[in-house]
Structure formats: C-alpha cells, structure tokens
Amino acid sequence: MSDSLTSPTALLDFLSSNYPSAVSSSTSEADLPGLSNLIFSNTTYTDNEKVETSQWLTTSTRLATPDEDEAKHAERLGSLNIHLSTRTTLLGSKPSVADLALYYRLSPAVKSWSAEERTGEHGFHHIVRFIDFVQNAPLFGLSVKEEDKVNIDLNDVKFVHKPIDAKEEKERKRKEKAAATAVDSQTTLPVGKGKADDDGKSGKKEMAKDVAQPAEEKVQGAVTGDGPQRSKKEKKEKQPKPQKQPPKEAPLSPCLIDLRVGHILNAINHPNADSLFVSTIACGDPPGTDNTSEYEGQVVRTVCSGLNGLVPLEEMQGRKIIAVCNLKPVTMRGIKSAAMVLAASPRLKEGEEDNHKGPVELVTPPADAKAGERVLFEGWAGEPDGVLNPKKKVWETLQPGFTTTPGLEVGFDAGEVPQLQEGEGTAKPTGKLVTSSGGTCTVKSLSNAVVR
C-alpha cells in the first residue's frame, strides 16, 4: 500500500474535495474525529460513538500501513469483516468520518483483491459490501468518478454464507443459558409420581387424579352420612429457619485488588474533558465480561485517565501498563471507565500542596508480559475480590502503601497502612510488584514515589 494512504493530509484532501463546506484548508489532523458533526450535520452522536469513531480512524491507518505484519493485517481484516457482518456502517447505521477514512484507505486494496479474496469461503464479503455502499450511497454523497470506484460484480459470488441474524443469535444464547440453569436446578420427583411427558400432560393427569379421589369420597359421605371419618391433622410447629451465615470476609490485603497487565490498543483525547485520555485497553477478559466491548478482535475495556497534559498522547499508544480491574466502573464526563491505569508521581513533602502538574510516569510491566497476566506484590498472595465494595474503601485504605524503591521497582510498603500494623503486615518488608511469570514492574526515574 502507498504511504500516502496513511497520511492525514492526503485524507483531509480527499474529504475537502468531497465536502468543501465542512472541511477547509485550515482543518488539521487533530480535527478529524470532530468532522462527523460537520459533514453529517443532521446526525447526532453520543460520547461513546465519538470515542468509537476515533478508534476506527486509528484502525483505518493501521490497515493502510504498508509494512504491517501480514498475519496481523489479516487478523485486522477478519475482525473488521465480522464487525460489519451485522452493521451497515461502522457505528451501525449512522455515517461517520471513520467510514470515509476506511473507504479512502482500504478501497485501493479491495480493488486488487481476487474474486476468492472478495467473496470466497474465507473472503471478506462484508468489507466488499461496505466499500460498495460507501462509494454509491446517497447517505455519503461521495463524488467518485466511475473509473475510480471499486468495480464490484454483485453476481460474482464464490461462496454464499448463511446470514447472521443478531436476534436469533441472542435467542440461541438465552436458550442455552436457560437449559443450563434447568439442569442445575433439577430436583428429584416424589416416589410414585413418575416423570412427566414432554408436554407435561402425564404429570397434570396424575395431579388431577390425586385431587379428584378425595373430593369424590367427601361428596359420597355427605350424601350417605357414612363417609370415612378423618381426624383433623395436627398443625406442625413451624421450625425457625436457620439463619444464613454471612460470607467470611477476607482479611485486608493488597491481593484483594485485581492488578493485571493491560495493553493499550488505542488512546485519544476525551471529547468532553481536556485533562482526560480515553484508552482502549485489552486486560485479558473473556468474551461477555461486563463493561467490556470488542476492538480489533480483542475484548477490551474503555478507561478514562487523568493523564492528559502529564503524559504525551503518543506515549500511551500501543504500550503495556498495569491496570486496576476491579474498581466499580464510573462515568467520567459521559464515558464509562471500567479500570484505572497505575502511574507514579513524586511524594509530597510536609506542607506541600499537590498542584497536579507532574511529573508522572506510567508503571511498566516486563516487555514480554501478556495482556491479562495477574500482578501481585511479593508476600501478599491471594485472590482478588470480584468488584471492590466502595463502602469498604479497600483501594483507598491500601493505596498509601503503593510506592517505588530506590531501584525504581514498584512495591507495597505495609508500614504506610495503619490498618495492617496489628496484623501480619508489621514485620513484612516492601514487596515488589511482580507478574505471575516472575517479572518486576518498574518506573523510569521516580524513586520513593506515590503510585496510584
């Protein structure tokens, strides 16, 4: 692919030629994410859709990078193809500048694809359909000459895939979950009652028979006067229900905090807050985990961090970090944040006020650490809570112990946590923050720092 396809200037020229009233000569690369509102002025976008647009702009650049690893490139195309299998545009049905960027940067490659690559069994059918839609739909109104369009023969389909029905897929998963629940909760039938037929008629007949027989006896007794005499049943004393024992509370320990290696796949400026970044971070979550989404084929969390102006945006891109993954999600200026990025800053001297001007350094795991790998402080083994209870203030209590050593290693000093002084933490040395594979987490230059 040509280097010009990844150039923001070339993309802006393309947009300007098609939308001169919305894109001027003074429009810069930084303005790209906000162009959707100018080009498609009748469409409104949520904060999450604005973030998603920025993510797809980054992906479009990566897809046009000429020297990208072939396997990784195929993986990105596969993820995009799956994403578009149930969507008309990248956002679903709304047009955005990301659709235009993807068309501009990907259409030259689609032009050169073979019929097998386009519509074969392992081809990218939905990408081809998307390219055809963008270049021809009045929704976008592109002024592309016929000879410059990707020539797509709608009758030349090598393999017909069964269409994915989102509703059917959702219903199938619901039934699977219900079936699993039914198996788990199955109880033993009373002796002599038998098993009901599939339609439940057998069980209903047995119940009706059991009820009808004593009723018939009562009617006969009322008529003849010689019905069977039944003694009143003695009332059974209600036994007090055993009280449920409250779950045993785990002792206070930094292991309760779910620290993991995270891989930042993309980071952008928050659309509504100058001090925040919005990062897309892979933290090793399985598909379907609450507060996650999918990005470039990976399960990710959206994370807002107050690092804008303290850490250069380019330093956030594509790097490994340490994430706190079991804090309760919070919405920050319209965008839900599902984790926190650990960073170090200088410890304040007595009487000194925090002006929030830095310096700030991100905590860095070993280079070979994998996204999702668990991270623990030495000497504090144990399992983390699912979600930390905000009322118990576990993070707030333990965070003062997070520090850095003279050797620039991140560690936990129990001496800084008064609640641990009466327990086993009293005699413990500072425990280094290590990955489950044994590597140590570090910072660049800040020793005896605060880590949070």
Side-chain angles (χ1 to χ4, degrees):
M1 291 186 187
S2 170
D3 288 334
S4 64
L5 292 176
T6 62
S7 165
T9 304
L11 173 60
L12 288 169
D13 288 343
F14 168 75
L15 295 174
S16 180
S17 65
N18 282 278
Y19 310 101
S21 62
V23 186
S24 66
S25 57
S26 62
T27 305
S28 66
E29 179 184 1
D31 300 321
L32 273 172
L35 288 180
S36 295
N37 293 99
L38 298 175
I39 296 172
F40 307 105
S41 56
N42 294 327
T43 305
T44 56
Y45 301 91
T46 66
D47 290 332
N48 285 328
E49 285 171 339
K50 292 174 184 176
V51 170
E52 192 175 349
T53 298
S54 294
Q55 292 172 340
W56 283 114
L57 284 170
T58 302
T59 297
S60 72
T61 304
R62 290 172 178 165
L63 283 168
T65 302
D67 57 350
E68 183 176 52
D69 175 75
E70 188 176 337
K72 186 64 180 176
H73 184 71
E75 183 184 330
R76 289 193 204 279
L77 287 174
S79 298
L80 174 62
N81 194 60
I82 292 171
H83 179 81
L84 291 170
S85 65
T86 56
R87 296 167 176 85
T88 305
T89 66
L90 290 172
L91 296 182
S93 58
K94 293 180 181 180
S96 72
V97 68
D99 295 306
L100 299 169
L102 192 62
Y103 171 79
Y104 172 74
R105 287 167 169 160
L106 202 54
S107 57
V110 177
K111 254 186 181 181
S112 64
W113 284 355
S114 65
E116 190 65 30
E117 286 176 303
R118 290 186 179 195
T119 60
E121 184 173 358
H122 301 292
F124 303 112
H125 303 63
H126 304 294
I127 293 177
V128 173
R129 186 261 310 154
F130 168 81
I131 293 292
D132 187 54
F133 178 72
V134 173
Q135 69 184 5
N136 292 309
L139 179 66
F140 291 97
L142 286 177
S143 302
V144 182
K145 296 177 182 178
E146 285 301 319
E147 59 267 26
D148 293 333
K149 288 184 178 180
V150 179
N151 184 23
I152 296 171
D153 184 354
L154 299 179
N155 296 316
D156 188 14
V157 179
K158 300 299 180 185
F159 185 85
V160 179
H161 288 268
K162 183 181 177 181
I164 298 172
D165 189 306
K167 289 184 178 179
E168 285 183 6
E169 184 68 9
K170 186 176 181 180
E171 181 66 14
R172 181 186 67 78
K173 290 180 179 179
R174 187 191 68 78
K175 287 181 178 179
E176 284 181 357
K177 186 177 180 180
T181 305
V183 170
D184 292 340
S185 61
Q186 195 173 37
T187 54
T188 306
L189 291 169
V191 176
K193 296 297 180 186
K195 185 177 180 180
D197 294 336
D198 290 341
D199 58 2
K201 291 180 180 178
S202 176
K204 290 179 181 177
K205 286 180 181 178
E206 291 294 329
M207 290 175 65
K209 187 176 178 182
D210 290 346
V211 173
Q213 284 180 343
E216 186 180 349
E217 291 174 6
K218 286 181 181 179
V219 173
Q220 289 177 348
V223 174
T224 62
D226 57 356
Q229 301 294 319
R230 293 178 181 268
S231 59
K232 291 183 178 179
K233 290 183 179 179
E234 295 179 3
K235 288 185 178 180
K236 291 183 180 179
E237 292 184 11
K238 289 185 178 179
Q239 298 294 327
K241 292 182 179 179
Q243 291 185 349
K244 290 183 179 180
Q245 296 295 324
K248 190 175 179 181
E249 194 169 312
L252 187 65
S253 165
C255 74
L256 299 177
I257 301 170
D258 187 4
L259 299 172
R260 298 186 217 164
V261 175
H263 184 195
I264 300 178
L265 303 179
N266 185 41
I268 62 170
N269 295 315
H270 194 296
N272 301 322
D274 293 339
S275 64
L276 298 178
F277 287 138
V278 181
S279 301
T280 304
I281 306 180
C283 296
D285 296 291
T289 302
D290 288 345
N291 301 304
T292 63
S293 57
E294 187 179 303
Y295 178 70
E296 294 190 351
Q298 298 190 59
V299 178
V300 296
R301 298 183 180 217
T302 298
V303 181
C304 298
S305 56
L307 299 171
N308 198 341
L310 300 172
V311 176
L313 182 58
E314 54 269 21
E315 269 191 38
M316 299 287 289
Q317 309 292 348
R319 67 167 296 156
K320 302 281 182 65
I321 49 90
I322 299 298
V324 182
C325 292
N326 62 343
L327 296 173
K328 187 176 179 180
V330 294
T331 299
M332 303 178 74
R333 300 295 294 273
I335 296 176
K336 183 183 280 190
S337 178
M340 185 173 74
V341 177
L342 275 190
S345 58
R347 193 176 297 276
L348 296 177
K349 298 175 183 177
E350 189 174 347
E352 187 179 3
E353 290 186 9
D354 189 356
N355 56 16
H356 301 287
K357 292 184 179 179
V360 169
E361 295 177 358
L362 297 177
V363 175
T364 304
D368 59 351
K370 305 295 183 185
E373 189 173 350
R374 182 81 198 282
V375 184
L376 286 166
F377 290 103
E378 289 180 333
W380 297 94
E383 290 301 311
D385 281 351
V387 177
L388 293 175
N389 187 339
K391 294 180 180 179
K392 294 182 179 178
K393 298 191 178 297
V394 175
W395 165 252
E396 291 82 355
T397 301
L398 294 168
Q399 182 275 321
F402 285 45
T403 187
T404 59
T405 69
L408 305 182
E409 298 160 324
V410 178
F412 180 74
D413 181 4
E416 295 293 327
V417 182
Q419 292 83 344
L420 293 176
Q421 296 312 297
E422 296 179 3
E424 59 174 323
T426 309
K428 284 193 175 184
T430 298
K432 291 187 293 185
L433 186 62
V434 295
T435 61
S436 54
S437 57
T440 304
C441 300
T442 59
V443 293
K444 279 184 182 178
S445 63
L446 297 174
S447 62
N448 191 33
V450 175
V451 176
R452 57 191 171 196

